[in-house]
Amino acid sequence: MEQKDYKRTTVTAALPYANGGVHIGHLAGVYVPADIYVRYLRLKKRDVVFIGGSDEHGVPVTIRARKEGITVQEVVDRYHEMIKKSFEDFGISFDIYSRTTSDIHHKFASDFFRTLYDKGELEEITEEQYCDEVTGEFLTDRNIVGTCPRCGSEGAYGDQCEKCGATLSPDELINPTNKNNPGHGLVKRPTRNWYLPLNKYQDWLKQWILNGHKEWRSNVYGQCKSWLDMDLQPRAMTRDLDWGIPVPVDGADGKVLYVWFDAPIGYISNTKELCDKNPEKWGTWQQWWQDKDTRLVHFIGKDNIVFHCLIFPVMMKAHGGYIMPDNVPANEFLNLEDDKISTSRNWAVWLHEYLVDMPGKQDVLRYVLTANAPETKDNNFTWKDFQERNNSELVAIYGNFVNRALQLTKKYFNGRVPECGELTTADKDAINEFKDVKANVEALLEQFKFREAQKEAMNLARIGNRYITECEPWKVWKTDPERVKTILYVCLQLTANLAIAFEPFLPFSSNHLRQMLNINSFEWEQLGSTDILPSGHQLAEPELLFEKIEDSVIDAQLQKLADTKLANEAETFEPEPVKENVDFETFEKLDIRVGLVTSCEKVKKSKKLLKFHIDDGTKDGRTILSGIAAYYSDPQELVGKQVLFVANFAPRKMMGEESQGMILSAVNFDGTLSVTTTSTDVKPGCQVG
């Protein structure tokens, strides 16, 4: 719950790197919960601003540019527009979505740094850092990879392990190497940079967080505590790079602001950009960032906790004049089909692709990601669960109740809200069940418990289904039409309540439902009421609110992931080490020949063996048994193929059959198998050598 009656709220959502699209991990961890919260505050008529933007500096974008052979500016321009459009199409309702390459941001971040520099808040330190032994280029943390000292996983970055989420430094990595030039060695050379003295603010951080914000989520509070229980060290706020905001200090040529210094300032500069464009609506940026009556809330993933809870607050504290975040409801990670989401491996469900594959189903994904939100621990997204939640919850519970209520009203009362007669016990019980929904949803949203809040909203539909099933208006109509008026009146009030309750969670569906109810908008304060729709109000034509998702749709998504996994395996395939050398005379002892498969069938009572009859150039040919039945569901497809076989193995009996040689085959990287064949027709019996 809020501990103070703030006048306004500034909500930020982590700035995504402009080196790729937005995937479901981003959505579940940051953007869907942030959007739910902001939509709720707007419905409550609270003063709120929702700030987003693309992070366009740092190493990830330079790596992408190098990989694609284009300029960094071309990379950030492309992905900024892609990300921005994806958010718009998905209903993430930013008040501004800008970028850190804007002129406003460059000046603001530069001035911010210069203020810290002029106040003596930064320490100038020369120390040895890794650089490329061949090119002499200093390497950023992100360009250095090695083994994580915490979890032992390979490929951890010099600033973070994506496997366990640990924040690292290059010196902590085991066997560090140059990510972009693995063949180049690493050497350390002295370089000068400017550091933020986190240690100077350690006692203040302990007091502010550990004593002052015990209400924060346990994962956030716990990670902050683990850092603060150690001795914080100064952290470099500049880097030796050619892409970024130049350090505004004499003698700092070739250095730019550290991306984690520059990026969070983007929240402030983007707010300034918004306010400068429309001061009548938004006022000044200072009231959103420097007024003690403003509440600041950061929505982030767990990998950004240290930056938003320790480093950025110290930056603002050292600068002076800024408010501190009142809450940082960071989520844990979302996995995909029991595997970690990875941009580099393309193991993700990308939002821009989802919106093409599932047109009109933004709310289905919003619902599933919220229902499965990794609020306190890592969670898993599967396409089967996605289908199940859509079909058994959105369609069978929410959509089913709404459809029954609207269709019956159309059938019996020409789509007009009937009058409410005398309430029975069943009516009163149903009304009593949903009268507290507003207080319950609000309490959960104020505590950032979005998963539970959405459950509470869905509970309205469950109440409605139980009520209409119990009352059976389709049967009662035959004997007591007046009673049906009351039943459907209550159902329609519940339907209106659903449109309000789901507005923060499923904005597209709530809008569709309002259209069917022929109401432009509802007030949040009406939630829980039983007189939202007046008697006599004409409803619009009822339509299905949600539709069933068929197996074929899900199978297509699973196949896309399977293809991705196969492509990854192909890209990372490394052949088995070559066996010990053998002399040529040993090889010459093998008699490998070409044969034509004249028949092939499974061996009875064996799951492994296929029985080949081979034309080997002799009068009778030969029979060869091969344990490759699992790879060929239809042995007939091998008939007519020319294969290679070892002709001079001693005959051996298997399953009562004699095998007179061995078919040669190759196992592919993905576990599939192919018999070896010739590229052109060769006379059966010819030798291979």
Side-chain angles (χ1 to χ4, degrees):
M1 296 293 288
E2 291 188 19
Q3 299 176 348
K4 178 183 174 181
D5 186 18
Y6 290 97
K7 290 183 179 179
R8 67 191 70 82
T9 304
T10 301
V11 175
T12 72
L15 308 184
Y17 279 128
N19 70 327
V22 179
H23 57 61
I24 57 170
H26 297 131
L27 295 172
V30 178
Y31 304 105
V32 170
D35 189 64
I36 291 170
Y37 186 64
V38 168
R39 286 178 179 274
Y40 159 69
L41 294 182
R42 291 179 186 139
L43 288 167
K44 290 279 289 181
K45 300 190 182 306
R46 294 188 193 168
D47 209 3
V48 59
V49 66
F50 187 16
I51 305 298
S54 298
D55 182 358
E56 299 180 326
H57 296 133
V59 177
V61 293
T62 63
I63 293 174
R64 171 66 70 173
R66 187 180 292 119
K67 183 177 181 181
E68 296 190 15
I70 58 178
T71 67
V72 182
Q73 190 64 54
E74 287 174 318
V75 167
V76 298
D77 286 347
R78 178 206 301 168
Y79 288 110
H80 169 71
E81 291 303 322
M82 175 191 288
I83 294 168
K84 184 179 181 182
K85 185 177 188 305
S86 292
F87 281 145
E88 289 171 352
D89 292 345
F90 195 65
I92 305 299
S93 55
F94 290 114
D95 291 307
I96 183 171
Y97 188 84
S98 192
R99 54 197 307 188
T100 59
T101 54
S102 71
D103 292 340
I104 290 176
H105 175 70
H106 269 234
K107 185 177 187 315
F108 200 101
S110 184
D111 290 348
F112 196 108
F113 182 91
R114 186 71 202 198
T115 297
L116 296 185
Y117 178 84
D118 290 341
K119 289 180 68 174
E121 289 287 351
L122 299 173
E123 297 178 2
E124 188 177 319
I125 299 175
T126 298
E127 69 173 11
E128 291 192 334
Q129 291 186 3
Y130 283 114
C131 67
D132 188 299
E133 186 177 41
V134 177
T135 66
E137 173 189 14
F138 280 100
L139 299 175
T140 62
D141 299 346
R142 205 74 179 172
N143 271 330
I144 302 171
V145 295
T147 303
C148 175
R150 309 278 202 278
C151 70
S153 105
E154 301 293 333
Y157 291 108
D159 60 353
Q160 190 173 67
C161 173
E162 291 194 338
K163 182 73 174 178
C164 67
T167 302
L168 304 170
S169 71
D171 287 325
E172 294 179 271
L173 291 177
I174 301 168
N175 299 323
T177 60
N178 186 336
K179 175 179 173 59
N180 298 318
N181 295 301
H184 294 190
L186 296 183
V187 294
K188 281 193 169 184
R189 289 177 184 161
T191 184
R192 177 180 60 151
N193 279 295
W194 286 265
Y195 287 69
L196 184 67
L198 298 177
N199 50 312
K200 176 181 173 182
Y201 292 90
Q202 182 154 335
D203 290 341
W204 169 74
L205 286 168
K206 284 183 176 180
Q207 180 64 33
W208 170 57
I209 297 176
L210 301 187
N211 295 335
H213 283 291
K214 294 182 178 180
E215 81 282 5
W216 284 5
R217 283 182 177 172
S218 58
N219 60 328
V220 179
Y221 188 89
Q223 192 175 135
C224 289
K225 186 176 186 307
S226 67
W227 272 78
L228 292 170
D229 284 345
M230 302 184 291
D231 290 331
L232 296 181
Q233 299 299 317
R235 192 176 184 103
M237 294 292 108
T238 61
R239 290 288 190 272
D240 293 273
L241 272 177
D242 58 3
W243 175 257
I245 300 174
V247 175
V249 174
D250 289 340
D253 295 343
K255 298 181 189 294
V256 299
L257 301 183
Y258 176 39
V259 68
W260 272 110
F261 180 91
D262 140 40
I265 294 174
Y267 300 138
I268 312 171
S269 63
N270 291 350
T271 308
K272 182 179 187 304
E273 182 180 336
L274 177 70
C275 293
D276 288 353
K277 285 181 179 177
N278 193 348
E280 293 79 14
K281 179 177 181 179
W282 298 106
T284 66
W285 70 266
Q286 287 91 343
Q287 75 179 18
W288 297 102
W289 284 94
Q290 296 184 332
D291 189 326
K292 60 181 176 56
D293 288 326
T294 299
R295 186 186 196 202
L296 176 59
V297 180
H298 294 309
F299 282 87
I300 58 170
K302 71 175 179 181
D303 51 335
N304 292 342
I305 290 173
V306 63
F307 301 106
H308 286 76
C309 296
L310 301 181
I311 296 174
F312 188 35
V314 167
M315 287 164 53
M316 294 193 292
K317 179 75 172 174
H319 184 287
Y322 285 92
I323 58 174
M324 294 297 124
D326 186 61
N327 212 312
V328 186
N331 274 356
E332 298 292 288
F333 289 149
L334 184 73
N335 295 324
L336 171 60
E337 298 289 349
D338 300 310
D339 194 2
K340 180 178 173 56
I341 292 175
S342 170
T343 300
S344 61
R345 293 188 292 119
N346 195 30
W347 188 254
V349 176
W350 299 102
L351 184 53
H352 63 281
E353 293 180 358
Y354 172 88
L355 293 170
V356 172
D357 294 345
M358 306 274 188
K361 290 185 171 52
Q362 294 96 324
D363 278 353
V364 180
L365 187 56
R366 288 178 68 112
Y367 179 81
V368 173
L369 292 179
T370 302
N372 208 19
E375 291 180 350
T376 55
K377 64 179 182 179
D378 289 357
N379 223 328
N380 190 42
F381 176 94
T382 70
W383 279 112
K384 288 296 185 183
D385 178 67
F386 172 88
Q387 180 187 29
E388 176 65 20
R389 287 189 183 276
N390 177 81
N391 293 352
S392 66
E393 295 175 27
L394 290 177
V395 174
I397 299 174
Y398 185 5
N400 180 54
F401 169 67
V402 168
N403 192 55
R404 289 202 285 180
L406 297 184
Q407 290 289 359
L408 289 172
T409 303
K410 176 185 177 182
K411 179 178 181 180
Y412 297 138
F413 305 110
N414 296 317
R416 288 191 180 276
V417 179
E419 295 178 355
C420 181
E422 186 175 346
L423 299 177
T424 65
T425 300
D427 305 329
K428 292 176 182 177
D429 287 346
I431 291 170
N432 189 58
E433 273 194 279
F434 74 80
K435 67 180 176 63
D436 294 329
V437 64
K438 179 173 175 289
N440 294 341
V441 171
E442 285 184 353
L444 292 165
L445 289 177
E446 296 286 0
Q447 298 174 66
F448 308 104
K449 295 181 178 179
F450 304 106
R451 191 169 56 201
E452 294 300 317
Q454 183 174 263
K455 280 184 183 178
E456 192 69 27
M458 182 58 81
N459 192 45
L460 279 174
R462 297 182 193 278
I463 293 169
N465 272 316
R466 286 199 302 270
Y467 172 71
I468 199 170
T469 300
E470 177 185 338
C471 293
E472 298 181 310
W474 48 89
K475 289 185 179 179
V476 176
W477 177 257
K478 298 173 184 177
T479 56
D480 192 355
E482 289 298 312
R483 170 64 187 144
V484 173
K485 290 182 178 180
T486 301
I487 296 170
L488 291 183
Y489 177 88
V490 173
C491 286
L492 292 172
Q493 303 308 323
L494 251 173
T495 301
N497 271 271
L498 280 164
I500 301 171
F502 270 112
E503 175 66 31
F505 308 96
L506 311 180
F508 297 93
S509 305
S510 286
N511 182 58
H512 187 195
L513 183 50
R514 284 197 307 274
Q515 291 174 355
M516 289 191 283
L517 294 175
N518 199 21
I519 296 287
N520 289 329
S521 64
F522 290 118
E523 296 293 326
W524 181 259
E525 293 306 312
Q526 293 177 285
L527 185 57
S529 301
T530 56
D531 56 356
I532 300 174
L533 298 174
S535 298
H537 174 72
Q538 180 65 56
L539 305 177
E541 188 71 17
E543 300 173 347
L544 289 178
L545 197 55
F546 302 99
E547 62 181 12
K548 186 178 179 182
I549 295 176
E550 301 297 337
D551 290 346
S552 59
V553 175
I554 299 304
D555 290 342
Q557 295 300 322
L558 291 172
Q559 185 59 52
K560 183 185 289 189
L561 289 176
D563 292 343
T564 294
K565 183 167 285 189
L566 200 61
N568 288 335
E569 290 172 354
E571 189 173 337
T572 59
F573 170 71
E574 292 184 4
E576 290 293 319
V578 176
K579 296 178 180 177
E580 288 183 28
N581 288 345
V582 296
D583 54 55
F584 187 69
E585 289 74 17
T586 301
F587 169 74
E588 279 193 308
K589 293 178 181 178
L590 284 177
D591 189 354
I592 302 175
R593 302 204 175 203
V594 177
L596 178 68
V597 180
T598 57
S599 69
C600 185
E601 60 185 0
K602 292 184 178 181
V603 174
K604 293 180 180 179
K605 299 183 180 180
S606 174
K607 294 181 180 179
K608 296 181 179 180
L609 293 177
L610 290 183
K611 179 181 177 181
F612 289 81
H613 189 268
I614 303 292
D615 176 1
D616 61 356
T618 65
K619 180 181 177 182
D620 297 324
R622 67 175 65 206
T623 298
I624 298 178
L625 302 184
S626 181
I628 60 173
Y631 300 98
Y632 291 97
S633 57
D634 180 12
Q636 289 301 306
E637 67 179 279
L638 293 167
V639 175
K641 285 185 178 293
Q642 288 195 321
V643 298
L644 305 185
F645 66 95
V646 179
N648 61 337
F649 279 167
R652 57 179 296 202
K653 280 210 168 184
M654 293 183 281
M655 302 294 291
E657 299 272 0
E658 184 176 81
S659 180
Q660 301 164 322
M662 183 178 76
I663 303 287
L664 298 183
S665 58
V667 178
N668 202 358
F669 73 92
D670 59 357
T672 58
L673 177 142
S674 297
V675 296
T676 55
T677 63
T678 57
S679 59
T680 59
D681 284 344
V682 177
K683 195 74 171 172
C686 287
Q687 287 185 306
V688 177

